Amino acid sequence: MSVGEMLAATVPMARTLNLEFVETAAERAVVVLPDQSAFHNHVGGPHAGAMFTLGESASGAIVLSAFGDQLARAVPLAVSAEIAYRKLAMGAVTATATLGRPASEVVAQLDAGERPEFPVTIEIRRGDGAVTGEMTVVWTLRPNG
């Protein structure tokens, strides 16, 4: 099962919004929110809450891709999130997530018995390429036990 399939199967909001996991790798995750009138706002574009969920889901996809091999000893958890809505979003929007620290540094902290935190940055773009939102989600790997 791919990371996208796993997220769609285990995260009800990802299923509800019909998110499309286009790319899920340790270096980058790309997720699309299709244009769906059920999730529009008052001006006919994707609702801010749907865009937040899109960005958070893209960040989760990259975290699982980068640290999936650590799940036996640590649980990934979102610590905080911040989003800025830059331009009006209309139609389908795409979130692209990137890790803010090398995965090897994060794992080294975990190896040292620490609870690492690391940012994931996300850009949300509409079909014409314009950036409609920017988001940062800070994640941690909480050691089991």
Side-chain angles (χ1 to χ4, degrees):
M1 181 180 290
S2 73
V3 168
E5 291 167 335
M6 183 174 66
L7 284 169
T10 60
V11 180
M13 276 301 291
R15 281 194 314 275
T16 297
L17 292 177
N18 302 306
L19 298 181
E20 300 169 4
F21 293 85
V22 176
E23 181 182 338
T24 54
E27 300 78 32
R28 184 172 99 138
V30 179
V31 182
V32 175
L33 172 64
D35 186 22
Q36 302 165 87
S37 62
F39 305 114
H40 282 177
N41 58 22
H42 62 289
V43 294
H47 188 278
M51 288 178 38
F52 182 95
T53 301
L54 168 68
E56 194 275 342
S57 296
S59 76
I62 198 168
V63 167
L64 286 177
S65 295
F67 303 109
D69 60 343
Q70 304 298 318
L71 294 180
R73 67 181 185 145
V75 176
L77 297 169
V79 175
S80 64
E82 184 175 317
I83 191 166
Y85 301 101
R86 301 290 183 205
K87 291 184 185 259
L88 183 62
M90 297 299 281
V93 287
T94 301
T96 302
T98 55
L99 281 178
R101 287 180 58 200
S104 59
E105 286 181 10
V106 175
V107 172
Q109 273 192 278
L110 191 60
D111 290 342
E114 299 174 27
R115 182 175 169 167
E117 289 191 2
F118 53 94
V120 175
T121 57
I122 304 102
E123 277 193 344
I124 301 171
R125 295 179 181 270
R126 60 187 185 211
D128 66 1
V131 175
T132 62
E134 295 173 322
M135 185 173 185
T136 301
V137 181
V138 175
W139 286 82
T140 188
L141 294 179
R142 185 192 74 199
N144 294 336

